Amino acid sequence: MLYQINKGSKSFGASSVFSDIQFEIKNVEKIAIVGRNGCRKSTLVKCINGNENLDSGTIHKQNNITIGYLAQKTLEDEDKTVLEELNEAFSEIFKIEEELKDLESIMKEDHSEKTLEKYALLQSKFEMLNGYSYESEMKTVFSRFGFNESDLNREVKTFSGGQRTRIAFVKLLLMKPDILLLDEPTNHLDLETIEWLEGYLKRYPKAVVLVSHDRMFLDDVVDVVYEIEYGKM
């Protein structure tokens, strides 16, 4: 069990959003949250992400899990280039890369088993994080969202609102959180990109929670559906 809400309730003033709901995310499940317009599906997603708090009920989640949230918003620092923004998704890779370089210098003089073992462990982690091909992965995903490689050197503020949302989406996918929360992810995407995204999410090696009005998209991706109706799930 990655994440669970037990008897969760949420209200805004006198208006109840939902009450006594049960919701859980297991392993690599692909989950849809559906319901009529105005049933506050996005509020539930914000509670999962921690942007909103439940009024009552309990949340249980595994230690150290990462949750990534895509809402309809743009990136925070629009003066950065796209490359600078996307490289933030690989901060752990860059950190390990520097540690490996430092160890390589040390190993010119120090051939101890302890040093060699530390280097092997770091190298294994580097490979697991796709350290040798992260750049190619970044360019592939970026191009799939309709951008040219030359766009990487442009400042974020030079793109339209829809394009900035797509850039934020690319960054989130490259970060690979344990739980990927997507609120209307097919907005601003053309048919070709939507089809590619369907395949990507089906193969995504971690959990995905989707809110979308695109029923065909949900049918192709998800294997668990939660419906909110009149405040009940």
Side-chain angles (χ1 to χ4, degrees):
M1 184 75 63
L2 282 179
Y3 183 99
Q4 182 184 62
I5 295 175
N6 183 40
K7 295 186 177 180
S9 297
K10 178 70 177 176
S11 298
F12 290 118
S15 175
S16 174
V17 178
F18 50 75
S19 61
D20 292 325
I21 66 165
Q22 298 292 131
F23 175 81
E24 60 186 30
I25 305 169
K26 300 175 185 174
N27 303 318
V28 297
E29 282 184 331
K30 309 300 183 274
I31 297 171
I33 299 173
V34 302
R36 61 184 172 78
N37 287 340
C39 74
R40 301 298 185 97
K41 300 180 290 291
S42 295
T43 300
L44 175 57
V45 172
K46 288 176 182 176
C47 288
I48 297 169
N49 191 51
N51 302 100
E52 297 276 358
N53 295 318
L54 296 175
D55 296 328
S56 63
T58 56
I59 291 175
H60 303 281
K61 59 184 177 180
Q62 281 188 11
N63 292 333
N64 302 317
I65 63 165
T66 54
I67 299 176
Y69 178 44
L70 178 74
Q72 297 308 312
K73 65 176 184 178
T74 55
L75 299 158
E76 291 180 8
D77 189 350
E78 297 183 349
D79 288 325
K80 288 183 178 179
T81 65
V82 174
L83 184 60
E84 287 172 328
E85 273 290 347
L86 297 187
N87 273 342
E88 289 179 4
F90 306 110
S91 57
E92 190 173 2
I93 287 176
F94 297 149
K95 181 174 178 288
I96 293 173
E97 192 172 37
E98 286 302 312
E99 290 176 3
L100 285 170
K101 286 178 183 176
D102 290 342
L103 275 175
E104 284 166 5
S105 296
I106 292 170
M107 285 163 60
K108 291 175 182 177
E109 305 291 336
D110 179 1
H111 305 294
S112 68
E113 187 175 335
K114 183 179 178 181
T115 301
L116 293 172
E117 186 178 313
K118 185 177 180 182
Y119 185 85
L121 286 170
L122 276 175
Q123 194 170 46
S124 175
K125 189 174 182 182
F126 188 73
E127 290 173 357
M128 185 184 71
L129 291 171
N130 202 26
Y132 292 110
S133 54
Y134 75 88
E135 191 172 359
S136 138
E137 179 189 10
M138 174 182 67
K139 289 177 180 177
T140 298
V141 177
F142 188 59
S143 66
R144 287 290 189 173
F145 276 75
F147 296 102
N148 297 314
E149 192 173 322
S150 59
D151 290 330
L152 288 167
N153 297 314
R154 287 173 55 187
E155 292 181 345
V156 172
K157 64 186 176 185
T158 65
F159 293 90
S160 69
Q163 288 174 319
R164 289 198 290 270
T165 299
R166 281 190 279 138
I167 292 167
F169 200 166
V170 171
K171 181 178 178 180
L172 180 59
L173 293 181
L174 294 173
M175 291 173 73
K176 296 186 178 70
D178 297 315
I179 300 174
L180 185 59
L181 302 176
L182 303 178
D183 192 348
E184 299 295 348
T186 57
N187 287 3
H188 308 294
L189 302 183
D190 59 27
L191 183 58
E192 185 179 352
T193 306
I194 290 171
E195 289 175 350
W196 174 84
L197 182 62
E198 285 177 2
Y200 184 93
L201 294 178
K202 282 191 282 190
R203 295 187 302 272
Y204 188 71
K206 301 176 183 182
V208 179
V209 178
L210 289 163
V211 171
S212 177
H213 288 93
D214 188 338
R215 292 302 177 98
M216 188 178 296
F217 179 77
L218 294 180
D219 284 345
D220 287 339
V221 174
V222 309
D223 41 48
V224 178
V225 179
Y226 284 88
E227 181 177 17
I228 299 178
E229 186 172 9
Y230 303 112
K232 300 296 181 182
M233 178 170 276

